[in-house]
Amino acid sequence: MPERSVPPADARMDPADEELERLEIELLLEAVYRRYGFDFREYAPASLKRRLWRRMYAEGLETVTQLHDRLLHDPASMERLLLDLSINVTSMFRDPSFYMAFREHVVPTLHTYPFTRVWCAGCSTGEEVYSLAILLKEEGLYDRARIYATDINEQVLSAAREGVFPLERMKQYTQNYIRAGGKGEFSEYYVAAYEGARFSRSLTENVVFAQHNLASDRAFNEFNVIVCRNVLIYFDKTLQTRVHELFYESLDTFGVLALGHKESVAFTPYAEQYEVIQAAERIYKKIG
Ligand SMILES: C[S@@+](CC[C@H](N)C(=O)[O-])C[C@H]1O[C@@H](n2cnc3c(N)ncnc32)[C@H](O)[C@@H]1O
Protein backbone atom coordinates (compact mmCIF):
# COMPACT_ATOMS: atom_id res chain seq x y z
CA MET A 1 0.00 0.00 0.00
CA PRO A 2 1.39 3.45 -0.83
CA GLU A 3 2.66 5.49 2.13
CA ARG A 4 1.35 9.02 2.53
CA SER A 5 1.93 11.85 4.95
CA VAL A 6 -1.03 12.75 7.09
CA PRO A 7 -1.83 16.47 6.95
CA PRO A 8 -2.42 18.52 10.10
CA ALA A 9 -5.86 18.10 11.66
CA ASP A 10 -7.15 21.45 10.39
CA ALA A 11 -5.97 21.01 6.80
CA ARG A 12 -8.54 20.42 4.07
CA MET A 13 -7.78 17.20 2.30
CA ASP A 14 -8.01 16.42 -1.35
CA PRO A 15 -11.10 14.16 -1.85
CA ALA A 16 -8.89 11.42 -3.30
CA ASP A 17 -6.60 11.58 -0.24
CA GLU A 18 -9.62 11.54 2.03
CA GLU A 19 -10.91 8.42 0.31
CA LEU A 20 -7.51 6.78 0.62
CA GLU A 21 -7.31 7.65 4.29
CA ARG A 22 -10.77 6.22 4.88
CA LEU A 23 -9.54 2.99 3.32
CA GLU A 24 -6.38 2.98 5.47
CA ILE A 25 -8.48 3.49 8.60
CA GLU A 26 -10.90 0.73 7.58
CA LEU A 27 -8.00 -1.68 7.04
CA LEU A 28 -6.43 -0.71 10.37
CA LEU A 29 -9.68 -1.29 12.23
CA GLU A 30 -10.16 -4.63 10.49
CA ALA A 31 -6.61 -5.63 11.48
CA VAL A 32 -7.17 -4.57 15.09
CA TYR A 33 -10.37 -6.60 15.16
CA ARG A 34 -8.83 -9.72 13.67
CA ARG A 35 -5.61 -9.55 15.67
CA TYR A 36 -7.01 -8.51 19.07
CA GLY A 37 -10.78 -8.92 18.88
CA PHE A 38 -11.49 -5.25 19.68
CA ASP A 39 -14.16 -4.01 17.36
CA PHE A 40 -14.02 -0.28 16.67
CA ARG A 41 -15.32 -0.64 13.10
CA GLU A 42 -18.58 1.08 13.90
CA TYR A 43 -17.33 3.87 16.11
CA ALA A 44 -18.30 7.40 15.08
CA PRO A 45 -15.74 8.23 12.33
CA ALA A 46 -14.79 11.84 13.19
CA SER A 47 -13.75 11.21 16.78
CA LEU A 48 -12.15 7.87 15.81
CA LYS A 49 -10.01 9.61 13.21
CA ARG A 50 -8.92 12.30 15.67
CA ARG A 51 -7.86 9.69 18.19
CA LEU A 52 -6.01 7.57 15.63
CA TRP A 53 -4.07 10.63 14.51
CA ARG A 54 -3.23 11.49 18.09
CA ARG A 55 -1.89 7.97 18.66
CA MET A 56 -0.01 8.08 15.36
CA TYR A 57 1.82 11.27 16.37
CA ALA A 58 2.43 10.03 19.92
CA GLU A 59 4.08 6.92 18.46
CA GLY A 60 6.30 9.15 16.25
CA LEU A 61 4.66 7.83 13.08
CA GLU A 62 3.56 9.67 9.97
CA THR A 63 0.90 7.56 8.30
CA VAL A 64 -2.08 5.47 9.26
CA THR A 65 -0.44 2.56 7.46
CA GLN A 66 2.64 2.83 9.70
CA LEU A 67 0.33 2.80 12.71
CA HIS A 68 -1.43 -0.25 11.26
CA ASP A 69 1.92 -2.03 11.03
CA ARG A 70 2.97 -1.02 14.57
CA LEU A 71 -0.33 -2.22 16.02
CA LEU A 72 -0.08 -5.60 14.34
CA HIS A 73 3.41 -6.28 15.63
CA ASP A 74 3.51 -4.52 18.98
CA PRO A 75 0.72 -5.44 21.42
CA ALA A 76 1.90 -2.70 23.83
CA SER A 77 0.99 -0.09 21.20
CA MET A 78 -2.48 -1.67 21.04
CA GLU A 79 -2.86 -1.15 24.80
CA ARG A 80 -1.96 2.51 24.32
CA LEU A 81 -4.44 2.89 21.45
CA LEU A 82 -7.11 1.22 23.54
CA LEU A 83 -6.70 3.87 26.20
CA ASP A 84 -6.97 6.61 23.54
CA LEU A 85 -10.04 5.10 21.93
CA SER A 86 -11.94 4.21 24.98
CA ILE A 87 -12.14 7.73 26.42
CA ASN A 88 -12.30 6.99 30.10
CA VAL A 89 -13.32 10.37 31.49
CA THR A 90 -15.59 9.87 34.48
CA SER A 91 -16.24 11.14 37.99
CA MET A 92 -18.12 10.25 41.15
CA PHE A 93 -21.75 11.25 41.20
CA ARG A 94 -21.25 12.67 37.71
CA ASP A 95 -24.32 14.72 36.77
CA PRO A 96 -25.76 14.64 40.31
CA SER A 97 -29.29 15.18 38.98
CA PHE A 98 -29.08 11.68 37.50
CA TYR A 99 -28.60 10.14 40.95
CA MET A 100 -31.34 12.34 42.37
CA ALA A 101 -33.71 11.07 39.68
CA PHE A 102 -32.59 7.50 40.29
CA ARG A 103 -33.33 7.81 44.01
CA GLU A 104 -36.71 9.31 43.37
CA HIS A 105 -37.96 7.24 40.43
CA VAL A 106 -36.13 3.89 40.51
CA VAL A 107 -35.36 3.13 44.16
CA PRO A 108 -39.04 2.76 45.26
CA THR A 109 -39.53 -0.04 42.70
CA LEU A 110 -36.32 -1.76 43.74
CA HIS A 111 -37.64 -1.89 47.31
CA THR A 112 -40.37 -4.21 46.08
CA TYR A 113 -37.83 -6.75 44.72
CA PRO A 114 -36.21 -9.45 46.84
CA PHE A 115 -32.93 -8.97 44.97
CA THR A 116 -31.63 -6.44 42.45
CA ARG A 117 -29.17 -7.11 39.64
CA VAL A 118 -27.60 -3.96 38.21
CA TRP A 119 -25.39 -3.79 35.13
CA CYS A 120 -23.14 -0.78 34.92
CA ALA A 121 -21.92 -0.97 31.31
CA GLY A 122 -18.85 1.04 30.30
CA CYS A 123 -17.91 1.70 33.92
CA SER A 124 -14.43 3.05 33.19
CA THR A 125 -12.26 3.41 36.32
CA GLY A 126 -15.21 2.70 38.59
CA GLU A 127 -16.30 6.08 39.95
CA GLU A 128 -19.83 5.45 38.70
CA VAL A 129 -19.90 1.99 40.30
CA TYR A 130 -18.78 3.29 43.70
CA SER A 131 -21.39 6.06 43.43
CA LEU A 132 -24.14 3.53 42.68
CA ALA A 133 -22.95 1.31 45.53
CA ILE A 134 -23.11 4.27 47.94
CA LEU A 135 -26.58 5.18 46.72
CA LEU A 136 -27.85 1.60 47.10
CA LYS A 137 -26.29 1.37 50.57
CA GLU A 138 -27.96 4.56 51.72
CA GLU A 139 -31.29 3.36 50.36
CA GLY A 140 -30.98 0.07 52.24
CA LEU A 141 -30.73 -1.95 49.02
CA TYR A 142 -27.07 -2.81 48.75
CA ASP A 143 -27.14 -5.99 50.83
CA ARG A 144 -29.60 -7.57 48.44
CA ALA A 145 -28.05 -6.25 45.25
CA ARG A 146 -25.27 -7.21 42.91
CA ILE A 147 -23.63 -4.76 40.55
CA TYR A 148 -21.99 -6.16 37.42
CA ALA A 149 -19.52 -3.53 36.31
CA THR A 150 -18.08 -4.00 32.85
CA ASP A 151 -15.82 -2.22 30.42
CA ILE A 152 -13.97 -3.14 27.24
CA ASN A 153 -10.70 -2.00 28.75
CA GLU A 154 -8.92 -4.24 31.26
CA GLN A 155 -6.64 -1.42 32.43
CA VAL A 156 -9.50 0.79 33.61
CA LEU A 157 -11.13 -2.23 35.25
CA SER A 158 -8.08 -2.92 37.35
CA ALA A 159 -8.13 0.72 38.52
CA ALA A 160 -11.82 0.24 39.32
CA ARG A 161 -11.06 -2.83 41.42
CA GLU A 162 -8.45 -0.83 43.38
CA GLY A 163 -10.94 1.92 44.23
CA VAL A 164 -8.32 4.57 44.86
CA PHE A 165 -9.15 7.97 43.41
CA PRO A 166 -7.20 11.24 43.43
CA LEU A 167 -7.49 13.10 46.72
CA GLU A 168 -7.67 16.44 44.96
CA ARG A 169 -10.99 15.40 43.39
CA MET A 170 -12.68 14.72 46.73
CA LYS A 171 -13.84 18.30 47.16
CA GLN A 172 -15.71 18.19 43.86
CA TYR A 173 -17.02 14.69 44.59
CA THR A 174 -18.30 15.78 47.99
CA GLN A 175 -20.26 18.58 46.33
CA ASN A 176 -21.59 16.14 43.71
CA TYR A 177 -22.56 13.70 46.45
CA ILE A 178 -24.55 16.34 48.31
CA ARG A 179 -26.28 17.51 45.10
CA ALA A 180 -27.02 13.84 44.30
CA GLY A 181 -29.08 13.60 47.48
CA GLY A 182 -26.36 11.90 49.58
CA LYS A 183 -27.71 11.04 53.00
CA GLY A 184 -24.55 10.74 55.05
CA GLU A 185 -21.02 12.10 55.17
CA PHE A 186 -19.13 11.47 51.94
CA SER A 187 -15.82 11.36 53.82
CA GLU A 188 -16.99 8.25 55.67
CA TYR A 189 -16.67 6.19 52.50
CA TYR A 190 -12.91 6.60 52.07
CA VAL A 191 -9.68 7.00 53.93
CA ALA A 192 -7.01 9.39 52.77
CA ALA A 193 -3.92 7.31 52.04
CA TYR A 194 -0.54 8.05 50.51
CA GLU A 195 -1.69 6.98 47.04
CA GLY A 196 -5.07 8.75 47.17
CA ALA A 197 -8.56 8.38 48.59
CA ARG A 198 -9.02 4.64 49.20
CA PHE A 199 -12.70 3.71 49.10
CA SER A 200 -14.18 1.25 51.54
CA ARG A 201 -13.93 -2.42 50.54
CA SER A 202 -17.54 -2.82 51.69
CA LEU A 203 -18.57 -0.89 48.57
CA THR A 204 -17.25 -3.60 46.27
CA GLU A 205 -18.35 -6.65 48.28
CA ASN A 206 -21.33 -7.04 45.98
CA VAL A 207 -19.66 -5.88 42.80
CA VAL A 208 -18.37 -8.12 40.01
CA PHE A 209 -15.92 -6.38 37.67
CA ALA A 210 -15.53 -8.03 34.27
CA GLN A 211 -14.34 -7.25 30.79
CA HIS A 212 -17.21 -7.07 28.31
CA ASN A 213 -17.29 -5.57 24.86
CA LEU A 214 -20.63 -3.99 24.00
CA ALA A 215 -19.77 -4.14 20.30
CA SER A 216 -19.28 -7.88 20.09
CA ASP A 217 -20.12 -9.74 23.31
CA ARG A 218 -23.55 -11.12 24.06
CA ALA A 219 -25.95 -10.73 26.96
CA PHE A 220 -24.71 -12.50 30.09
CA ASN A 221 -27.50 -12.11 32.64
CA GLU A 222 -31.01 -10.80 33.24
CA PHE A 223 -30.93 -7.42 34.92
CA ASN A 224 -33.38 -5.30 36.84
CA VAL A 225 -31.39 -2.18 36.04
CA ILE A 226 -28.91 -1.27 33.32
CA VAL A 227 -26.94 1.95 33.70
CA CYS A 228 -24.97 2.98 30.63
CA ARG A 229 -24.01 6.63 30.47
CA ASN A 230 -21.59 8.47 28.20
CA VAL A 231 -20.73 5.38 26.18
CA LEU A 232 -23.18 5.15 23.27
CA ILE A 233 -22.21 8.65 22.09
CA TYR A 234 -18.97 7.16 20.75
CA PHE A 235 -20.78 4.63 18.56
CA ASP A 236 -22.34 5.08 15.13
CA LYS A 237 -26.07 4.42 14.57
CA THR A 238 -25.64 0.76 13.61
CA LEU A 239 -23.60 -0.05 16.68
CA GLN A 240 -25.94 1.95 18.92
CA THR A 241 -28.85 -0.14 17.60
CA ARG A 242 -26.95 -3.36 18.30
CA VAL A 243 -26.21 -2.23 21.85
CA HIS A 244 -29.87 -1.31 22.36
CA GLU A 245 -30.79 -4.81 21.23
CA LEU A 246 -28.30 -6.20 23.76
CA PHE A 247 -29.77 -4.06 26.54
CA TYR A 248 -33.30 -4.99 25.59
CA GLU A 249 -32.41 -8.71 25.68
CA SER A 250 -30.58 -8.30 28.98
CA LEU A 251 -33.39 -6.57 30.85
CA ASP A 252 -36.14 -8.28 32.82
CA THR A 253 -39.69 -7.21 32.03
CA PHE A 254 -40.21 -3.86 33.76
CA GLY A 255 -36.43 -3.58 34.05
CA VAL A 256 -34.96 -0.07 34.10
CA LEU A 257 -32.66 1.35 31.44
CA ALA A 258 -30.84 4.46 32.67
CA LEU A 259 -28.91 6.27 29.94
CA GLY A 260 -28.25 9.76 31.34
CA HIS A 261 -29.08 12.98 29.57
CA LYS A 262 -26.73 12.53 26.59
CA GLU A 263 -28.36 9.41 25.11
CA SER A 264 -31.84 8.19 24.36
CA VAL A 265 -33.89 5.24 23.10
CA ALA A 266 -35.98 7.64 20.98
CA PHE A 267 -35.45 7.02 17.26
CA THR A 268 -34.14 3.50 17.88
CA PRO A 269 -36.09 0.36 16.92
CA TYR A 270 -36.67 -0.16 20.66
CA ALA A 271 -38.40 3.15 21.39
CA GLU A 272 -41.83 1.51 21.62
CA GLN A 273 -40.62 -1.15 24.05
CA TYR A 274 -39.95 1.36 26.81
CA GLU A 275 -41.93 3.80 28.87
CA VAL A 276 -40.26 7.00 30.04
CA ILE A 277 -39.83 7.09 33.82
CA GLN A 278 -37.83 10.31 33.97
CA ALA A 279 -37.39 12.27 30.76
CA ALA A 280 -34.45 14.58 31.52
CA GLU A 281 -32.15 11.80 32.73
CA ARG A 282 -33.43 9.36 30.10
CA ILE A 283 -34.55 6.71 32.54
CA TYR A 284 -36.87 4.12 30.99
CA LYS A 285 -38.87 1.07 31.98
CA LYS A 286 -39.06 -1.94 29.66
CA ILE A 287 -42.71 -2.62 28.90
CA GLY A 288 -42.67 -4.58 25.67
C1 LIG B 1 -16.60 8.23 29.00
S1 LIG B 1 -16.46 6.67 29.82
C2 LIG B 1 -17.98 6.65 30.71
C3 LIG B 1 -17.77 6.18 32.10
C4 LIG B 1 -19.02 6.23 32.98
N1 LIG B 1 -20.09 5.43 32.43
C5 LIG B 1 -19.50 7.64 33.17
O1 LIG B 1 -20.51 8.04 32.61
O2 LIG B 1 -18.81 8.40 33.86
C6 LIG B 1 -16.76 5.54 28.47
C7 LIG B 1 -16.34 4.12 28.81
O3 LIG B 1 -16.89 3.24 27.82
C8 LIG B 1 -15.97 2.22 27.59
N2 LIG B 1 -16.20 1.61 26.28
C9 LIG B 1 -15.94 2.12 25.05
N3 LIG B 1 -16.26 1.23 24.11
C10 LIG B 1 -16.75 0.14 24.76
C11 LIG B 1 -17.25 -1.11 24.33
N4 LIG B 1 -17.30 -1.42 23.04
N5 LIG B 1 -17.67 -2.00 25.26
C12 LIG B 1 -17.61 -1.68 26.59
N6 LIG B 1 -17.14 -0.52 27.06
C13 LIG B 1 -16.71 0.38 26.15
C14 LIG B 1 -14.62 2.93 27.65
O4 LIG B 1 -13.55 2.03 27.88
C15 LIG B 1 -14.84 3.92 28.77
O5 LIG B 1 -14.36 3.44 29.98
Side-chain angles (χ1 to χ4, degrees), residues 43 86-90 94 122 124 128 151 213-214 229-230:
Y43 276 42
S86 62
I87 316 135
N88 309 114
V89 179
T90 185
R94 181 181 193 174
S124 188
E128 186 171 48
D151 201 281
N213 186 346
L214 290 166
R229 300 188 304 149
N230 307 298

Side-chain angles (χ1 to χ4, degrees), residues 96-110:
S97 52
F98 172 82
Y99 291 89
M100 206 54 144
F102 194 96
R103 279 185 203 270
E104 200 178 318
H105 299 277
V106 181
V107 161
T109 310
L110 302 186

